[in-house]
Amino acid sequence: MSSDLGVLIVCFGNKVKDSLFLSLLEKRYVVRILVGVKSSTLDVTGKVYFFDTIDVNVKKYDLRCILRSLIKCAYQKPPLYSSIKHHKIPLYKYARLDIDVNIKRKKIIMHKIGLNIIKHNQIVLDITCSKGTYIRSVVEYLEEKLLIPMSVIQITRLSVGNFNILQSYSLSDILRFKSISEIEQVIL
């Protein structure tokens, strides 16, 4: 099952005014990819269109070259299964009804992409990027360039600007606080 984990900055009270600034900070992700599976949602939760056992090690050199070429300013097409709105309706609603929508490409900046692991049918990447970058779309781009089906297993956001996962509180931690004043003592 695909899951998205990691840092989510939540603002309330007089900190809400900082939320726009915080959303502009660069983000860092680790993404685990399953090679050999193509799905409707670009992750392992979607309808599987294709499945094959593929050893990605045969494409290691090509993968490294493609990753190096991504370090730049680029335009990216958001995935159909996203909350971006088209005529005030989220794209995922069109996708669920199998309605084709012309989606505008958005400008993104890829600061760093590291290849952490490449083993049999899995790849793990470390990506530092700008606001608005869709990690699933990065995986779809790799899939198209390598001509190998891929689906996201897990995306973990390690940081937003200087806020990192090691400084974070889980939702269960926050729910243990007895009052807003207790929460305000531990947040910035």
Side-chain angles (χ1 to χ4, degrees):
M1 173 176 245
S2 172
S3 59
D4 298 339
L5 307 165
V7 177
L8 174 65
I9 297 176
V10 179
C11 299
F12 61 93
N14 65 0
K15 295 294 183 183
V16 171
K17 67 183 180 304
D18 299 332
S19 62
L20 178 60
F21 163 75
L22 295 169
S23 72
L24 298 174
L25 297 173
E26 76 177 25
K27 281 77 174 167
R28 182 174 169 216
Y29 299 89
V30 168
V31 58
R32 197 160 52 111
I33 304 162
L34 180 63
V35 177
V37 175
K38 171 95 177 149
S39 81
S40 59
T41 57
L42 307 176
D43 63 28
V44 295
T45 65
K47 178 180 175 186
V48 174
Y49 294 134
F50 181 84
F51 174 81
D52 196 5
T53 52
I54 297 172
D55 188 343
V56 77
N57 283 307
V58 297
K59 297 273 191 170
K60 189 184 275 188
Y61 175 77
D62 294 336
L63 177 59
R64 289 183 191 280
C65 290
I66 292 166
L67 292 175
R68 276 195 296 275
S69 75
L70 284 172
I71 308 296
K72 62 180 178 183
C73 211
Y75 287 86
Q76 179 188 68
K77 186 176 175 183
L80 286 176
Y81 280 88
S82 69
S83 59
I84 288 180
K85 294 199 170 65
H86 177 74
H87 298 296
K88 300 182 181 179
I89 299 171
L91 288 178
Y92 65 83
K93 290 190 177 186
Y94 291 104
R96 287 179 184 158
L97 296 171
D98 206 24
I99 298 172
D100 196 25
V101 176
N102 186 20
I103 307 166
K104 282 198 227 176
R105 294 184 175 272
K106 295 185 176 249
K107 185 178 179 180
I108 61 162
I109 300 170
M110 302 296 285
H111 300 289
K112 295 179 197 168
I113 304 179
L115 180 58
N116 286 4
I117 297 170
I118 183 167
K119 189 174 185 181
H120 305 299
N121 67 339
Q122 288 195 24
I123 299 169
V124 178
L125 302 176
D126 188 330
I127 299 173
T128 304
C129 55
S130 67
K131 168 192 193 288
T133 304
Y134 285 88
I135 301 302
R136 285 175 180 78
S137 291
V138 173
V139 173
E140 183 178 39
Y141 177 82
L142 295 175
E143 175 182 66
E144 290 167 2
K145 292 296 182 184
L146 290 169
L147 302 174
I148 296 176
M150 298 181 183
S151 290
V152 171
I153 298 170
Q154 184 176 57
I155 299 171
T156 304
R157 187 185 292 164
L158 298 177
S159 65
V160 176
N162 291 326
F163 301 96
N164 70 56
I165 200 163
L166 299 175
Q167 301 167 308
S168 299
Y169 289 91
S170 70
L171 182 57
S172 58
D173 290 338
I174 292 169
L175 292 173
R176 284 190 209 110
F177 293 121
K178 305 286 186 234
S179 68
I180 296 292
S181 63
E182 278 187 62
I183 295 172
E184 288 175 335
Q185 289 175 12
V186 297
I187 63 171
L188 300 172

PDB file of all heavy atoms in Angstrom, residues 6 8 10 168-177 183:
ATOM      1  N   GLY A   6       5.678  12.096   6.660  1.00  0.00           N
ATOM      2  CA  GLY A   6       6.688  13.112   6.851  1.00  0.00           C
ATOM      3  C   GLY A   6       6.191  14.446   7.336  1.00  0.00           C
ATOM      4  O   GLY A   6       5.118  14.561   7.919  1.00  0.00           O
ATOM      5  N   LEU A   8       4.739  17.971   7.774  1.00  0.00           N
ATOM      6  CA  LEU A   8       3.620  18.811   7.342  1.00  0.00           C
ATOM      7  C   LEU A   8       3.572  19.968   8.324  1.00  0.00           C
ATOM      8  O   LEU A   8       3.382  19.760   9.521  1.00  0.00           O
ATOM      9  CB  LEU A   8       2.298  18.047   7.367  1.00  0.00           C
ATOM     10  CG  LEU A   8       1.050  18.872   7.069  1.00  0.00           C
ATOM     11  CD1 LEU A   8       1.086  19.395   5.635  1.00  0.00           C
ATOM     12  CD2 LEU A   8      -0.199  18.032   7.314  1.00  0.00           C
ATOM     13  N   VAL A  10       1.844  22.888  10.076  1.00  0.00           N
ATOM     14  CA  VAL A  10       0.479  23.321  10.372  1.00  0.00           C
ATOM     15  C   VAL A  10       0.555  24.649  11.120  1.00  0.00           C
ATOM     16  O   VAL A  10       1.263  24.750  12.119  1.00  0.00           O
ATOM     17  CB  VAL A  10      -0.264  22.269  11.226  1.00  0.00           C
ATOM     18  CG1 VAL A  10      -1.668  22.742  11.553  1.00  0.00           C
ATOM     19  CG2 VAL A  10      -0.291  20.926  10.504  1.00  0.00           C
ATOM     20  N   SER A 168       9.920  17.003  14.232  1.00  0.00           N
ATOM     21  CA  SER A 168       8.470  16.933  14.094  1.00  0.00           C
ATOM     22  C   SER A 168       7.793  16.153  15.213  1.00  0.00           C
ATOM     23  O   SER A 168       8.401  15.299  15.845  1.00  0.00           O
ATOM     24  CB  SER A 168       8.115  16.267  12.762  1.00  0.00           C
ATOM     25  OG  SER A 168       8.626  17.010  11.699  1.00  0.00           O
ATOM     26  N   TYR A 169       6.517  16.455  15.385  1.00  0.00           N
ATOM     27  CA  TYR A 169       5.653  15.716  16.301  1.00  0.00           C
ATOM     28  C   TYR A 169       4.662  14.917  15.471  1.00  0.00           C
ATOM     29  O   TYR A 169       4.146  15.423  14.475  1.00  0.00           O
ATOM     30  CB  TYR A 169       4.881  16.671  17.223  1.00  0.00           C
ATOM     31  CG  TYR A 169       5.754  17.339  18.247  1.00  0.00           C
ATOM     32  CD1 TYR A 169       6.351  18.566  17.988  1.00  0.00           C
ATOM     33  CD2 TYR A 169       5.977  16.747  19.481  1.00  0.00           C
ATOM     34  CE1 TYR A 169       7.163  19.179  18.919  1.00  0.00           C
ATOM     35  CE2 TYR A 169       6.781  17.353  20.423  1.00  0.00           C
ATOM     36  CZ  TYR A 169       7.374  18.563  20.140  1.00  0.00           C
ATOM     37  OH  TYR A 169       8.176  19.160  21.070  1.00  0.00           O
ATOM     38  N   SER A 170       4.395  13.705  15.885  1.00  0.00           N
ATOM     39  CA  SER A 170       3.377  12.913  15.194  1.00  0.00           C
ATOM     40  C   SER A 170       1.998  13.405  15.632  1.00  0.00           C
ATOM     41  O   SER A 170       1.859  14.080  16.663  1.00  0.00           O
ATOM     42  CB  SER A 170       3.533  11.434  15.525  1.00  0.00           C
ATOM     43  OG  SER A 170       3.173  11.212  16.875  1.00  0.00           O
ATOM     44  N   LEU A 171       0.986  13.027  14.878  1.00  0.00           N
ATOM     45  CA  LEU A 171      -0.372  13.394  15.245  1.00  0.00           C
ATOM     46  C   LEU A 171      -0.733  12.807  16.604  1.00  0.00           C
ATOM     47  O   LEU A 171      -1.355  13.476  17.432  1.00  0.00           O
ATOM     48  CB  LEU A 171      -1.367  12.928  14.177  1.00  0.00           C
ATOM     49  CG  LEU A 171      -2.820  13.279  14.419  1.00  0.00           C
ATOM     50  CD1 LEU A 171      -3.003  14.787  14.584  1.00  0.00           C
ATOM     51  CD2 LEU A 171      -3.686  12.756  13.288  1.00  0.00           C
ATOM     52  N   SER A 172      -0.301  11.580  16.869  1.00  0.00           N
ATOM     53  CA  SER A 172      -0.597  10.975  18.173  1.00  0.00           C
ATOM     54  C   SER A 172       0.086  11.741  19.308  1.00  0.00           C
ATOM     55  O   SER A 172      -0.473  11.875  20.397  1.00  0.00           O
ATOM     56  CB  SER A 172      -0.220   9.495  18.207  1.00  0.00           C
ATOM     57  OG  SER A 172       1.142   9.320  17.923  1.00  0.00           O
ATOM     58  N   ASP A 173       1.301  12.287  19.069  1.00  0.00           N
ATOM     59  CA  ASP A 173       1.964  13.133  20.072  1.00  0.00           C
ATOM     60  C   ASP A 173       1.122  14.371  20.365  1.00  0.00           C
ATOM     61  O   ASP A 173       0.903  14.734  21.524  1.00  0.00           O
ATOM     62  CB  ASP A 173       3.337  13.619  19.569  1.00  0.00           C
ATOM     63  CG  ASP A 173       4.379  12.524  19.477  1.00  0.00           C
ATOM     64  OD1 ASP A 173       4.224  11.489  20.155  1.00  0.00           O
ATOM     65  OD2 ASP A 173       5.344  12.713  18.710  1.00  0.00           O
ATOM     66  N   ILE A 174       0.650  15.021  19.327  1.00  0.00           N
ATOM     67  CA  ILE A 174      -0.118  16.261  19.476  1.00  0.00           C
ATOM     68  C   ILE A 174      -1.435  15.991  20.197  1.00  0.00           C
ATOM     69  O   ILE A 174      -1.878  16.778  21.032  1.00  0.00           O
ATOM     70  CB  ILE A 174      -0.342  16.923  18.098  1.00  0.00           C
ATOM     71  CG1 ILE A 174       1.012  17.413  17.570  1.00  0.00           C
ATOM     72  CG2 ILE A 174      -1.334  18.069  18.185  1.00  0.00           C
ATOM     73  CD1 ILE A 174       1.010  17.849  16.131  1.00  0.00           C
ATOM     74  N   LEU A 175      -2.066  14.863  19.895  1.00  0.00           N
ATOM     75  CA  LEU A 175      -3.349  14.537  20.532  1.00  0.00           C
ATOM     76  C   LEU A 175      -3.215  14.287  22.038  1.00  0.00           C
ATOM     77  O   LEU A 175      -4.197  14.382  22.762  1.00  0.00           O
ATOM     78  CB  LEU A 175      -3.995  13.333  19.847  1.00  0.00           C
ATOM     79  CG  LEU A 175      -4.465  13.590  18.416  1.00  0.00           C
ATOM     80  CD1 LEU A 175      -4.942  12.293  17.773  1.00  0.00           C
ATOM     81  CD2 LEU A 175      -5.542  14.652  18.367  1.00  0.00           C
ATOM     82  N   ARG A 176      -2.000  14.000  22.492  1.00  0.00           N
ATOM     83  CA  ARG A 176      -1.775  13.784  23.929  1.00  0.00           C
ATOM     84  C   ARG A 176      -1.737  15.089  24.723  1.00  0.00           C
ATOM     85  O   ARG A 176      -1.877  15.078  25.940  1.00  0.00           O
ATOM     86  CB  ARG A 176      -0.469  13.015  24.147  1.00  0.00           C
ATOM     87  CG  ARG A 176      -0.606  11.550  23.838  1.00  0.00           C
ATOM     88  CD  ARG A 176       0.624  10.764  24.301  1.00  0.00           C
ATOM     89  NE  ARG A 176       0.779   9.620  23.425  1.00  0.00           N
ATOM     90  CZ  ARG A 176       1.736   9.452  22.526  1.00  0.00           C
ATOM     91  NH1 ARG A 176       2.694  10.339  22.402  1.00  0.00           N
ATOM     92  NH2 ARG A 176       1.766   8.394  21.762  1.00  0.00           N
ATOM     93  N   PHE A 177      -1.511  16.219  24.027  1.00  0.00           N
ATOM     94  CA  PHE A 177      -1.502  17.493  24.730  1.00  0.00           C
ATOM     95  C   PHE A 177      -2.902  17.790  25.253  1.00  0.00           C
ATOM     96  O   PHE A 177      -3.899  17.486  24.612  1.00  0.00           O
ATOM     97  CB  PHE A 177      -1.025  18.630  23.817  1.00  0.00           C
ATOM     98  CG  PHE A 177       0.424  18.510  23.417  1.00  0.00           C
ATOM     99  CD1 PHE A 177       0.785  18.435  22.080  1.00  0.00           C
ATOM    100  CD2 PHE A 177       1.427  18.476  24.378  1.00  0.00           C
ATOM    101  CE1 PHE A 177       2.115  18.336  21.708  1.00  0.00           C
ATOM    102  CE2 PHE A 177       2.762  18.376  24.015  1.00  0.00           C
ATOM    103  CZ  PHE A 177       3.106  18.304  22.677  1.00  0.00           C
ATOM    104  N   ILE A 183       0.424  22.927  23.426  1.00  0.00           N
ATOM    105  CA  ILE A 183       0.912  22.824  22.064  1.00  0.00           C
ATOM    106  C   ILE A 183       1.769  24.031  21.722  1.00  0.00           C
ATOM    107  O   ILE A 183       2.845  23.908  21.147  1.00  0.00           O
ATOM    108  CB  ILE A 183      -0.267  22.685  21.066  1.00  0.00           C
ATOM    109  CG1 ILE A 183      -1.011  21.376  21.306  1.00  0.00           C
ATOM    110  CG2 ILE A 183       0.232  22.770  19.627  1.00  0.00           C
ATOM    111  CD1 ILE A 183      -2.296  21.250  20.506  1.00  0.00           C
TER     112      ILE A 183
END
